[in-house]
Amino acid sequence: MGIWIILSTFLAVQIGQSLSCEHRGVECIDYEVISRHPEYEERQYPSTVWISAKESGPSLSRAQINLYKKLFRYIQGDNLRGEFINSTTPTRTKVVPCKDDSMCEPTYTMSLLVPKDLYDDKFPIPTDVDLFFEREPPKKYVVRSFGGRPSESQWVAEAQKLADLTLKEAGVARDHYYLNWYDPPLQLFNRLNEVWIPKTMKKKYSDQKKFIKDKNDLNEVC
């Protein structure tokens, strides 16, 4: 009996390990593929926490260089604990393009995934005041994957391609998107890059009933 308990525990640990996401030995995000299409797929992601920095400007490449330096210093120990933080992947950049305004500059928010072992709200506080944490609830994304080392124009082209492919899909965001790279700069071959565009999650029936109830309560008060 004791042997079976030990064996069951061992198998549970092994299964748990096999289900955790790793890319080239680095922690990434577990996700569920909801549907696959010839040139993209729809995924469900769990809640996550990110350490982020933001910059506006005309150049994606320049913004990524500036922001990555800040984030890299943080995980290398530039925090109030002086603590080294394990690498994660992907490195994500949120892009908010301008809307027909010649005076506007796009906004870029680069983020590193906070490791799961720090999810107990004991995140090392950054010493750089430009860095901030973002808690992201469970989300759906449409995702397009591709290889190589894309230039700025190639990133934009891939994002536009995904937007065009999902043009008829309801709920796909049209005002921002995310650029993700999974491999370190010195990884020359077999690189993985992705474009993510958020897709609105349908409200549960219970949430809809709560909204109606709250609305009725408001009407009664008025």
Side-chain angles (χ1 to χ4, degrees), residues 31-37 40-45 139-143 169 199-202:
Y31 61 83
E32 175 189 357
V33 177
I34 298 173
S35 60
R36 287 189 171 91
H37 305 266
Y40 71 97
E41 62 186 23
E42 183 177 336
R43 299 176 184 171
Q44 173 68 59
Y45 279 84
K139 273 191 177 182
K140 286 183 182 178
Y141 291 94
V142 289
V143 179
E169 285 203 31
K199 185 174 182 179
T200 304
M201 297 176 67
K202 293 181 179 179

Side-chain angles (χ1 to χ4, degrees), residues 5 23 28 31-33 56 58 60 63 66 68 139 154 161 176 194:
I5 293 174
H23 178 78
C28 51
Y31 61 83
E32 175 189 357
V33 177
S56 296
L60 167 65
N66 294 340
Y68 187 74
K139 273 191 177 182
Q154 288 171 324
K161 177 69 172 178
H176 67 285
E194 291 181 340

Side-chain angles (χ1 to χ4, degrees), residues 191-204:
R191 296 179 63 85
L192 174 60
N193 313 294
E194 291 181 340
V195 177
W196 299 354
I197 303 180
K199 185 174 182 179
T200 304
M201 297 176 67
K202 293 181 179 179
K203 289 186 177 181
K204 295 180 180 178

Side-chain angles (χ1 to χ4, degrees), residues 106-205:
T107 300
Y108 308 103
T109 304
M110 180 176 279
S111 306
L112 300 180
L113 179 69
V114 174
K116 285 183 180 178
D117 60 6
L118 296 178
Y119 272 28
D120 57 358
D121 290 333
K122 295 181 180 178
F123 310 135
I125 304 301
T127 56
D128 188 336
V129 295
D130 291 336
L131 300 186
F132 55 94
F133 291 103
E134 294 184 284
R135 292 180 180 272
E136 188 168 287
K139 273 191 177 182
K140 286 183 182 178
Y141 291 94
V142 289
V143 179
R144 179 171 168 81
S145 304
F146 58 100
R149 191 184 291 272
S151 64
E152 182 168 338
S153 61
Q154 288 171 324
W155 275 119
V156 174
E158 290 291 342
Q160 185 61 58
K161 177 69 172 178
L162 181 58
D164 293 342
L165 288 168
T166 58
L167 195 58
K168 295 182 180 180
E169 285 203 31
V172 176
R174 302 299 170 192
D175 58 349
H176 67 285
Y177 55 89
Y178 296 86
L179 310 177
N180 303 267
W181 76 72
Y182 282 78
D183 300 291
L186 296 180
Q187 177 73 34
L188 300 179
F189 304 104
N190 300 318
R191 296 179 63 85
L192 174 60
N193 313 294
E194 291 181 340
V195 177
W196 299 354
I197 303 180
K199 185 174 182 179
T200 304
M201 297 176 67
K202 293 181 179 179
K203 289 186 177 181
K204 295 180 180 178
Y205 179 64

Side-chain angles (χ1 to χ4, degrees), residues 50-53 71 90-94 109-113 134:
W50 304 78
I51 179 76
S52 303
L71 294 167
T91 299
R92 186 176 83 168
T93 303
K94 178 182 179 180
T109 304
M110 180 176 279
S111 306
L112 300 180
L113 179 69
E134 294 184 284

